[in-house]
Amino acid sequence: MNIHSEATARQQRAPVRHFLSDADLSADELREVLDLAASVKADRGRFRRVLQDRSIVMLFEKPSLRTRMTFELAAAQLGGFAVFQDHRDGRIGQREPAPDISRNLDRWFDAIVARTFSQKTLELLAKWSSVPVINALSESFHPCQALADYLTLLERFGSFDGLKLAYVGDANNVAHSLLHCGPQLGVSVSICGPAAYGPRPDDLVKARQVAERNGCTVEVGEDIRQAVQGAAAVYTDVWTSMGWEAETQQRRIAFADYKVDSAVMRLAEKRAVFMHCLPAQRGAEVTNAVIESPQSVVFDQAENRLHAHKAILIKMMEDNHGQAS
Ligand code: CP
């Protein structure tokens, strides 16, 4: 099939499955993607041609180390390739409208991976794209990060049964993705931080409904001791995420009592791990002692970005373009 007829065929095939937020995968699909990630991690050779002749384009409005490197490497190690377009200086939609960008890119590429300031930009790209759009972080969600994080927990504990994850600090994009994925997998999630920086009410309602169905809980509060008690994972992120730099000083004050230090870790389960999506501000949201301690799994999380990204690329290709190899 040549590129023109393939593009036409894609446009006739509806609807396109995207991965814009964690809600785009059912609980079964989430487990399927995590199982696939574990399989590609265990046997890289078996998957080395899965994306042969497939290409992805990566549009990034914000800086990245982990997400960019691991998506590029994932595409290459699966037999495909990635093209990066830096949008840090000119936001998506500034030079030409997002719908036009999508309708160019979907003629050439098999998937669009985008890191944007706004979730709405992702939604607009997706609306006009005949190939899947994958969220590589927006202000609302970071679903690819959550895949790697729950894969890390599965590896560490062997199962999700009875696990509680305590998230300390700003209920940012990472926190929202953890909040949605955890209850789907049966993991209880407890978010603690200043009330003004808590999770979005609609997301909280949805996460609680899922938790109720799956026999786990979702808690939100300001008491760090209560949140961390009984947790198998203590997770934090920077107090000022990308895009909120103007609030850095006020956030430093607001979050001063939400630093993860050794005393906080002692309140969690004895076997508890420390998690962070990175980059970290040592001395702010986490002490150097904790992030460098044997409990810390931050580089396992970073490693698992690669395997999680391979899995979501395979899943999106199969769902949208049929069997990848
Ligand atoms: N955690 C994460 O997304 O890292 P990068 O910003 O470096 O991609």
Side-chain angles (χ1 to χ4, degrees):
M1 187 184 283
N2 68 34
I3 192 164
H4 300 295
S5 53
E6 182 172 347
T8 306
R10 279 184 203 161
Q11 284 166 338
Q12 288 168 347
R13 202 184 295 143
V16 180
R17 284 209 71 185
H18 302 285
F19 187 47
L20 303 185
S21 80
D22 313 270
D24 288 328
L25 293 181
S26 68
D28 285 347
E29 287 176 321
L30 189 50
R31 285 182 186 273
E32 175 199 330
V33 169
L34 294 182
D35 286 347
L36 182 56
S39 297
V40 296
K41 183 172 182 176
D43 188 357
R44 181 170 142 191
R46 195 178 125 211
F47 295 88
R48 71 179 193 280
R49 292 186 202 284
V50 163
L51 294 194
Q52 195 163 27
D53 299 327
R54 299 289 187 194
S55 54
I56 65 169
V57 60
M58 301 169 60
L59 312 178
F60 276 43
E61 292 185 328
K62 299 178 179 185
S64 171
L65 173 69
R66 282 148 291 275
T67 311
R68 177 181 175 177
M69 293 300 123
T70 52
F71 263 114
E72 290 199 11
L73 195 55
Q77 290 183 352
L78 294 173
F81 61 94
V83 174
F84 183 79
Q85 185 166 36
D86 191 346
H87 270 280
R88 280 177 300 170
D89 289 334
R91 297 238 184 130
I92 295 165
Q94 204 167 301
R95 183 166 178 262
E96 65 183 299
D100 284 6
I101 294 176
S102 282
R103 286 179 295 173
N104 278 266
L105 295 176
D106 72 5
R107 297 294 178 109
W108 309 318
F109 294 96
D110 298 290
I112 299 170
V113 176
R115 168 168 286 200
T116 59
F117 279 89
S118 166
Q119 184 75 9
K120 287 199 185 323
T121 304
L122 287 174
E123 287 166 4
L124 196 54
L125 286 170
K127 183 176 173 187
W128 290 90
S129 173
S130 62
V131 299
V133 175
I134 296 173
N135 181 351
L137 179 148
S138 70
E139 94 289 17
S140 301
F141 302 106
H142 197 356
C144 294
Q145 178 70 53
L147 291 178
D149 296 338
Y150 283 107
L151 176 62
T152 305
L153 286 179
L154 190 57
E155 285 176 341
R156 177 57 70 125
F157 297 112
S159 117
F160 293 118
D161 291 349
L163 292 189
K164 171 183 170 180
L165 180 148
Y167 180 94
V168 178
D170 181 27
N172 60 8
N173 43 15
V174 173
H176 278 83
S177 284
L178 294 169
L179 177 66
H180 283 291
C181 281
Q184 296 250 58
L185 297 165
V187 176
S188 292
V189 176
S190 182
I191 295 186
C192 79
Y197 298 90
R200 297 182 292 270
D202 285 358
D203 290 78
L204 197 51
V205 168
K206 284 182 197 149
R208 283 190 164 137
Q209 286 168 346
V210 175
E212 201 168 330
R213 280 204 302 274
N214 291 336
C216 54
T217 59
V218 166
E219 291 168 354
V220 176
E222 295 185 73
D223 186 338
I224 189 168
R225 298 174 68 87
Q226 196 177 326
V228 168
Q229 212 152 38
V234 179
Y235 200 123
T236 191
D237 192 5
V238 290
W239 294 336
T240 304
S241 295
M242 289 183 282
W244 300 93
E245 290 80 359
E247 297 183 4
T248 300
Q249 189 49 31
Q250 82 186 54
R251 283 167 175 264
R252 230 177 249 149
I253 296 165
F255 290 104
D257 293 334
Y258 294 95
K259 185 195 298 282
V260 178
D261 58 16
S262 302
V264 169
M265 288 305 295
R266 278 196 292 276
L267 296 171
E269 278 190 18
K270 213 176 169 66
R271 61 173 180 161
V273 293
F274 170 75
M275 304 183 82
H276 195 303
C277 55
L278 302 178
Q281 292 276 321
R282 288 166 163 83
E285 76 275 5
V286 60
T287 61
N288 193 56
V290 167
I291 199 167
E292 297 294 346
S293 74
Q295 284 177 290
S296 174
V297 293
V298 299
F299 299 111
D300 295 331
Q301 294 171 258
E303 180 190 341
N304 282 337
R305 299 294 302 278
L306 175 64
H307 311 297
H309 293 173
K310 284 181 180 177
I312 196 66
L313 282 174
I314 294 170
K315 168 84 178 150
M316 287 292 115
M317 294 293 178
E318 286 183 351
D319 284 2
N320 289 286
H321 305 306
Q323 194 67 31
S325 69

